[in-house]
Amino acid sequence: MNMKREELITKLKKIIMPYVQDEEAFKKLSSETDFIRDLKINSANLVDIVLDVEDEFNIKIENDDMEKMISVEGAMGIINTRLEEE
Amino acid sequence: MIGNDIVDLKFASSSPNWRRDRFLDKVFSAREQKIISESLNPFQTLWLLWSMKESAYKIYVRQHSKKFFTPTKVKCNLFSSNDGIVEIFHETYKTNTTIDKDYIYTIAFKDFSENIISDCFKLENTTYSNQHYTSYQNLLYAIAELENVTPTSLVIKKDEFGRPILYRNNHAQNISLSITHHGYYGGYAFLK
């Protein structure tokens, strides 16, 4: 199953919102948005995001996949890949 | 080269996930998890190892101009409650940690001969702009005092890898620096 892009972004935004430290950058969120550089999310919270994504989408993100979980585009790619395997 | 990392322990305890097994599995190896669970204060030890990983990772990025986000590839060894070694691929870094009831502050460095200047401090509030501004200003004033220059001639900008670079009168300076903040605490470190 391949979730619609809009639906996926909406769900992802809901997950990352509590950890965002730059509200302005969050309002302008695009697929290129970097969690650390742009949203100023701290690195411990990056792990929280990975766990919250696993819960929300009921998928498993391997430690090697975490490399890509640092931007909106990267996270969406991993989520879609894992959902297709389900 | 230098890296540092601070953890505000009250802030860290508010993270929703650190108690979960999956959090531990994503950050720590089986050996590190054993160190944590067998320690007298597992919560403190968890964040001690975390700050060792973070501070060493910052040197690695400075050295190799390469970012990655796989905390389990950063391996910690503790010699005492304050001193350790962190391995990242083929690199080895030494760490020294200050453990306070409210925060944990680690400095990572390449070798003992380096002349490190470092400080950590309490912040007025936890907004990102205040954390960032105060930590950067404290570092700039410390460098200005040491170099006997006016603080306004100095600027710190981050490069494409997120590494802080010091500029003096618009010229990049060859000085290794590291800045950290978390919750109510901030810190800086640089090499003299």
Side-chain angles (χ1 to χ4, degrees):
Chain A
M1 149 189 139
N2 202 332
M3 198 175 284
K4 281 201 189 88
R5 202 177 160 83
E6 288 306 308
E7 194 187 338
L8 187 59
I9 286 207
T10 307
K11 283 192 172 186
L12 193 58
K13 279 180 87 164
K14 216 172 134 189
I15 290 170
I16 60 183
M17 192 163 62
Y19 308 114
V20 168
Q21 297 198 86
D22 189 326
E23 301 295 338
E24 288 307 309
F26 187 62
K27 280 180 205 156
K28 291 183 284 187
L29 185 127
S30 73
S31 59
E32 278 94 56
T33 300
D34 184 288
F35 293 157
I36 294 180
R37 187 193 61 212
D38 301 319
L39 303 179
K40 318 292 186 204
I41 291 172
N42 78 48
S43 41
N45 288 147
L46 275 189
V47 184
D48 289 320
I49 290 175
V50 172
L51 296 184
D52 294 347
V53 162
E54 288 188 333
D55 291 341
E56 172 66 32
F57 297 98
N58 199 20
I59 53 175
K60 175 144 174 57
I61 292 168
E62 301 297 338
N63 286 357
D64 283 338
D65 291 341
M66 281 171 66
E67 298 284 343
K68 297 174 192 109
M69 295 288 297
I70 51 170
S71 69
V72 171
E73 187 73 61
M76 293 206 306
I78 289 292
I79 295 166
N80 269 328
T81 309
R82 293 292 161 259
L83 285 174
E84 276 162 28
E85 291 167 358
E86 294 291 306
Chain B
M1 295 213 208
I2 186 102
N4 70 350
D5 186 65
I6 201 156
V7 177
D8 178 330
L9 290 173
K10 276 205 193 81
F11 237 68
S13 64
S14 69
S15 154
N17 288 314
W18 70 269
R19 282 183 187 83
R20 297 164 68 179
D21 288 344
R22 280 196 291 130
F23 183 95
L24 292 172
D25 287 338
K26 290 203 163 19
V27 178
F28 301 106
S29 67
R31 193 181 52 78
E32 290 163 347
Q33 290 186 41
K34 195 161 175 275
I35 298 174
I36 293 168
S37 65
E38 288 175 355
S39 71
L40 290 173
N41 185 341
F43 172 72
Q44 195 182 65
T45 307
L46 185 156
W47 293 109
L48 162 69
L49 296 185
W50 172 277
S51 75
M52 286 170 67
K53 287 184 186 229
E54 278 280 319
S55 53
Y57 171 75
K58 286 181 185 173
I59 308 191
Y60 183 86
V61 175
R62 193 168 271 278
Q63 226 182 331
H64 293 273
S65 307
K66 207 171 111 194
K67 291 207 281 186
F68 65 96
F69 175 50
T70 318
T72 48
K73 284 184 181 158
V74 181
K75 299 183 176 111
C76 296
N77 297 284
L78 267 178
F79 299 128
S80 70
S81 51
N82 306 93
D83 296 297
I85 274 189
V86 179
E87 291 167 70
I88 305 179
F89 304 113
H90 298 295
E91 299 287 352
T92 305
Y93 307 105
K94 298 170 181 71
T95 60
N96 179 265
T97 305
T98 305
I99 301 173
D100 180 273
K101 66 177 175 40
D102 294 323
Y103 65 85
I104 284 179
Y105 179 58
T106 300
I107 302 170
F109 48 99
K110 276 296 270 183
D111 63 85
F112 288 110
S113 63
E114 291 173 319
N115 197 349
I116 300 164
I117 297 178
S118 171
D119 191 21
C120 65
F121 32 82
K122 190 148 192 203
L123 302 169
E124 259 173 40
N125 64 62
T126 62
T127 60
Y128 181 83
S129 56
N130 175 63
Q131 291 173 325
H132 180 89
Y133 179 79
T134 309
S135 306
Y136 275 60
Q137 282 301 108
N138 287 358
L139 171 59
L140 285 181
Y141 274 83
I143 296 173
E145 196 182 312
L146 192 79
E147 304 282 335
N148 205 16
V149 298
T150 54
T152 47
S153 66
L154 305 175
V155 175
I156 297 165
K157 285 185 217 160
K158 280 193 171 172
D159 71 4
E160 66 202 283
F161 297 101
R163 301 175 295 196
I165 310 285
L166 178 75
Y167 291 83
R168 187 172 166 213
N169 299 325
N170 296 320
H171 295 290
Q173 305 291 301
N174 186 19
I175 172 173
S176 179
L177 9 130
S178 186
I179 305 154
T180 178
H181 48 72
H182 184 232
Y184 278 102
Y185 290 90
Y188 64 73
F190 63 97
L191 293 180
K192 202 172 157 183

